[in-house]
mmCIF file of all heavy atoms in Angstrom:
data_model
loop_
_atom_site.group_PDB
_atom_site.id
_atom_site.type_symbol
_atom_site.label_atom_id
_atom_site.label_comp_id
_atom_site.label_asym_id
_atom_site.label_seq_id
_atom_site.Cartn_x
_atom_site.Cartn_y
_atom_site.Cartn_z
ATOM 1 N N VAL T 1471 -21.114 0.129 -35.023
ATOM 2 C CA VAL T 1471 -19.786 0.086 -35.629
ATOM 3 C C VAL T 1471 -19.622 -1.084 -36.642
ATOM 4 O O VAL T 1471 -18.519 -1.333 -37.121
ATOM 5 C CB VAL T 1471 -18.717 -0.026 -34.562
ATOM 6 C CG1 VAL T 1471 -18.676 1.199 -33.684
ATOM 7 C CG2 VAL T 1471 -18.839 -1.262 -33.720
ATOM 8 N N LYS T 1472 -20.713 -1.772 -36.954
ATOM 9 C CA LYS T 1472 -20.570 -2.844 -37.957
ATOM 10 C C LYS T 1472 -20.081 -2.218 -39.283
ATOM 11 O O LYS T 1472 -19.304 -2.821 -40.023
ATOM 12 C CB LYS T 1472 -21.884 -3.554 -38.126
ATOM 13 C CG LYS T 1472 -21.768 -4.812 -38.935
ATOM 14 C CD LYS T 1472 -23.008 -5.667 -38.847
ATOM 15 C CE LYS T 1472 -22.792 -7.016 -39.517
ATOM 16 N NZ LYS T 1472 -23.987 -7.877 -39.440
ATOM 17 N N GLU T 1473 -20.613 -1.039 -39.571
ATOM 18 C CA GLU T 1473 -20.123 -0.239 -40.697
ATOM 19 C C GLU T 1473 -19.943 1.202 -40.197
ATOM 20 O O GLU T 1473 -20.882 1.811 -39.729
ATOM 21 C CB GLU T 1473 -21.147 -0.271 -41.846
ATOM 22 C CG GLU T 1473 -20.708 0.570 -43.056
ATOM 23 C CD GLU T 1473 -21.750 0.477 -44.175
ATOM 24 O OE1 GLU T 1473 -22.260 -0.647 -44.417
ATOM 25 O OE2 GLU T 1473 -22.011 1.504 -44.801
ATOM 26 N N LEU T 1474 -18.735 1.710 -40.323
ATOM 27 C CA LEU T 1474 -18.395 2.999 -39.696
ATOM 28 C C LEU T 1474 -17.866 3.937 -40.766
ATOM 29 O O LEU T 1474 -16.871 3.666 -41.431
ATOM 30 C CB LEU T 1474 -17.351 2.794 -38.629
ATOM 31 C CG LEU T 1474 -17.090 3.963 -37.651
ATOM 32 C CD1 LEU T 1474 -18.327 4.385 -36.919
ATOM 33 C CD2 LEU T 1474 -15.967 3.597 -36.693
ATOM 34 N N THR T 1475 -18.553 5.050 -40.967
ATOM 35 C CA THR T 1475 -18.197 6.055 -41.948
ATOM 36 C C THR T 1475 -17.600 7.297 -41.222
ATOM 37 O O THR T 1475 -18.225 7.825 -40.288
ATOM 38 C CB THR T 1475 -19.356 6.480 -42.817
ATOM 39 O OG1 THR T 1475 -19.839 5.328 -43.533
ATOM 40 C CG2 THR T 1475 -18.963 7.563 -43.797
ATOM 41 N N LEU T 1476 -16.436 7.703 -41.655
ATOM 42 C CA LEU T 1476 -15.773 8.882 -41.059
ATOM 43 C C LEU T 1476 -15.579 9.946 -42.100
ATOM 44 O O LEU T 1476 -14.925 9.718 -43.143
ATOM 45 C CB LEU T 1476 -14.392 8.494 -40.507
ATOM 46 C CG LEU T 1476 -14.353 7.491 -39.377
ATOM 47 C CD1 LEU T 1476 -14.135 6.098 -39.897
ATOM 48 C CD2 LEU T 1476 -13.163 7.865 -38.442
ATOM 49 N N PRO T 1477 -16.130 11.167 -41.885
ATOM 50 C CA PRO T 1477 -15.789 12.295 -42.766
ATOM 51 C C PRO T 1477 -14.299 12.571 -42.711
ATOM 52 O O PRO T 1477 -13.585 12.075 -41.785
ATOM 53 C CB PRO T 1477 -16.634 13.439 -42.167
ATOM 54 C CG PRO T 1477 -17.731 12.769 -41.404
ATOM 55 C CD PRO T 1477 -17.125 11.503 -40.866
ATOM 56 N N GLY T 1478 -13.819 13.404 -43.629
ATOM 57 C CA GLY T 1478 -12.392 13.696 -43.672
ATOM 58 C C GLY T 1478 -11.875 14.267 -42.366
ATOM 59 O O GLY T 1478 -12.522 15.113 -41.750
ATOM 60 N N TYR T 1479 -10.692 13.841 -41.959
ATOM 61 C CA TYR T 1479 -10.017 14.318 -40.763
ATOM 62 C C TYR T 1479 -10.887 14.240 -39.500
ATOM 63 O O TYR T 1479 -10.851 15.192 -38.673
ATOM 64 C CB TYR T 1479 -9.510 15.764 -40.982
ATOM 65 C CG TYR T 1479 -8.416 15.894 -42.010
ATOM 66 C CD1 TYR T 1479 -8.342 17.047 -42.808
ATOM 67 C CD2 TYR T 1479 -7.503 14.891 -42.200
ATOM 68 C CE1 TYR T 1479 -7.316 17.200 -43.744
ATOM 69 C CE2 TYR T 1479 -6.481 15.007 -43.171
ATOM 70 C CZ TYR T 1479 -6.419 16.177 -43.916
ATOM 71 O OH TYR T 1479 -5.430 16.319 -44.893
ATOM 72 N N THR T 1480 -11.654 13.230 -39.369
ATOM 73 C CA THR T 1480 -12.458 13.070 -38.162
ATOM 74 C C THR T 1480 -12.049 11.788 -37.419
ATOM 75 O O THR T 1480 -11.287 10.965 -37.951
ATOM 76 C CB THR T 1480 -13.943 13.028 -38.437
ATOM 77 O OG1 THR T 1480 -14.240 11.935 -39.323
ATOM 78 C CG2 THR T 1480 -14.454 14.318 -39.042
ATOM 79 N N PHE T 1481 -12.556 11.656 -36.219
ATOM 80 C CA PHE T 1481 -12.210 10.499 -35.398
ATOM 81 C C PHE T 1481 -13.337 10.197 -34.436
ATOM 82 O O PHE T 1481 -14.228 11.020 -34.195
ATOM 83 C CB PHE T 1481 -10.915 10.789 -34.624
ATOM 84 C CG PHE T 1481 -11.068 11.873 -33.556
ATOM 85 C CD1 PHE T 1481 -11.351 11.511 -32.233
ATOM 86 C CD2 PHE T 1481 -10.950 13.211 -33.894
ATOM 87 C CE1 PHE T 1481 -11.511 12.511 -31.281
ATOM 88 C CE2 PHE T 1481 -11.120 14.169 -32.933
ATOM 89 C CZ PHE T 1481 -11.381 13.837 -31.627
ATOM 90 N N PHE T 1482 -13.291 8.961 -33.925
ATOM 91 C CA PHE T 1482 -14.179 8.547 -32.820
ATOM 92 C C PHE T 1482 -13.311 7.990 -31.676
ATOM 93 O O PHE T 1482 -12.282 7.359 -31.930
ATOM 94 C CB PHE T 1482 -15.131 7.467 -33.278
ATOM 95 C CG PHE T 1482 -16.162 7.929 -34.289
ATOM 96 C CD1 PHE T 1482 -16.061 7.491 -35.609
ATOM 97 C CD2 PHE T 1482 -17.186 8.749 -33.915
ATOM 98 C CE1 PHE T 1482 -16.994 7.892 -36.558
ATOM 99 C CE2 PHE T 1482 -18.142 9.166 -34.871
ATOM 100 C CZ PHE T 1482 -18.030 8.722 -36.171
ATOM 101 N N ILE T 1483 -13.758 8.195 -30.439
ATOM 102 C CA ILE T 1483 -13.206 7.482 -29.303
ATOM 103 C C ILE T 1483 -14.387 6.656 -28.788
ATOM 104 O O ILE T 1483 -15.289 7.154 -28.089
ATOM 105 C CB ILE T 1483 -12.701 8.429 -28.204
ATOM 106 C CG1 ILE T 1483 -11.659 9.398 -28.778
ATOM 107 C CG2 ILE T 1483 -12.096 7.601 -27.075
ATOM 108 C CD1 ILE T 1483 -10.401 8.780 -29.293
ATOM 109 N N LEU T 1484 -14.401 5.367 -29.148
ATOM 110 C CA LEU T 1484 -15.551 4.518 -28.914
ATOM 111 C C LEU T 1484 -15.292 3.635 -27.676
ATOM 112 O O LEU T 1484 -14.200 3.089 -27.494
ATOM 113 C CB LEU T 1484 -15.812 3.627 -30.117
ATOM 114 C CG LEU T 1484 -16.011 4.376 -31.447
ATOM 115 C CD1 LEU T 1484 -16.124 3.400 -32.589
ATOM 116 C CD2 LEU T 1484 -17.262 5.243 -31.382
ATOM 117 N N CYS T 1485 -16.325 3.476 -26.851
ATOM 118 C CA CYS T 1485 -16.145 2.777 -25.584
ATOM 119 C C CYS T 1485 -17.275 1.782 -25.348
ATOM 120 O O CYS T 1485 -18.458 2.087 -25.610
ATOM 121 C CB CYS T 1485 -16.079 3.747 -24.433
ATOM 122 S SG CYS T 1485 -15.904 2.967 -22.811
ATOM 123 N N LYS T 1486 -16.908 0.598 -24.838
ATOM 124 C CA LYS T 1486 -17.875 -0.349 -24.326
ATOM 125 C C LYS T 1486 -17.321 -0.904 -23.002
ATOM 126 O O LYS T 1486 -16.134 -1.283 -22.937
ATOM 127 C CB LYS T 1486 -18.085 -1.529 -25.290
ATOM 128 C CG LYS T 1486 -19.096 -2.561 -24.809
ATOM 129 C CD LYS T 1486 -19.174 -3.755 -25.707
ATOM 130 C CE LYS T 1486 -19.877 -3.386 -27.004
ATOM 131 N NZ LYS T 1486 -20.076 -4.574 -27.880
#
Side-chain angles (χ1 to χ4, degrees):
V1471 297
K1472 192 168 186 178
E1473 179 179 319
L1474 192 60
T1475 298
L1476 296 93
Y1479 294 147
T1480 59
F1481 67 95
F1482 293 108
I1483 306 294
L1484 304 174
C1485 179
K1486 180 186 288 185

